[in-house]
Amino acid sequence: PHGTAFLPGGEEDARARLMLSAMISAAKADGYIDAEEERAIFGKIDEMDLEADEKGLVMDELRRPKSVDDLAREARTPEIAMEIYTASVLAIDADHPAERAYLDLLAARLGLPADLAAEIRRTAEAG
């Protein structure tokens, strides 16, 4: 909810861009972005109502996504870490070993307990 640790007032745009970065990095984990992953990413871009220069930055990031370590550095709170992981899980169908390995590495670098990461994946799959 707005105004909580999950969406502090005044951080909406920065948080949305971070979630988009997480989605892009996860989608590129297996070396390419498939059609379903592309729809999820471009759907998020459309929701954000970005200016042309901001869209250009997103396109640059599609070519050079953030690393797991880059994302982990931006997870300044446990809530941000959970959001980054959740956005990553929602962006992909972890049907490729590289995607599963990426999610495992991301959870570890974000400091998420294994049972919490598993619950986020279960919840995402059920929704």
Side-chain angles (χ1 to χ4, degrees):
H2 191 275
T4 68
F6 284 100
L7 190 55
E11 291 186 23
E12 297 86 356
D13 289 344
R15 196 67 69 86
R17 283 191 297 275
L18 178 57
M19 295 311 110
L20 184 57
S21 293
M23 294 173 75
I24 290 168
S25 295
K28 293 281 279 207
D30 62 357
Y32 67 96
I33 296 178
D34 67 28
E36 187 174 322
E37 294 165 343
E38 187 175 282
R39 276 192 297 281
I41 290 167
F42 285 106
K44 185 68 172 174
I45 290 170
D46 288 342
E47 286 176 22
M48 292 174 61
D49 192 32
L50 298 174
E51 299 294 325
D53 60 332
E54 293 173 315
K55 285 184 181 180
L57 293 173
V58 170
M59 295 304 140
D60 288 344
E61 194 162 331
L62 281 166
R63 288 188 284 281
R64 289 181 310 281
K66 290 186 179 193
S67 71
V68 168
D69 291 330
D70 292 337
L71 292 170
R73 274 191 289 279
E74 294 194 45
R76 297 177 312 277
T77 67
E79 292 84 5
I80 295 172
M82 287 186 283
E83 287 179 341
I84 288 170
Y85 189 76
T86 301
S88 299
V89 168
L90 291 172
I92 61 175
D93 178 11
D95 57 353
H96 191 279
E99 292 172 332
R100 288 190 297 277
Y102 176 86
L103 291 175
D104 291 343
L105 177 62
L106 181 62
R109 294 283 166 79
L110 292 170
L112 297 179
D115 58 338
L116 177 58
E119 183 60 28
I120 289 170
R121 287 190 310 273
R122 272 193 298 279
T123 302
E125 290 170 4

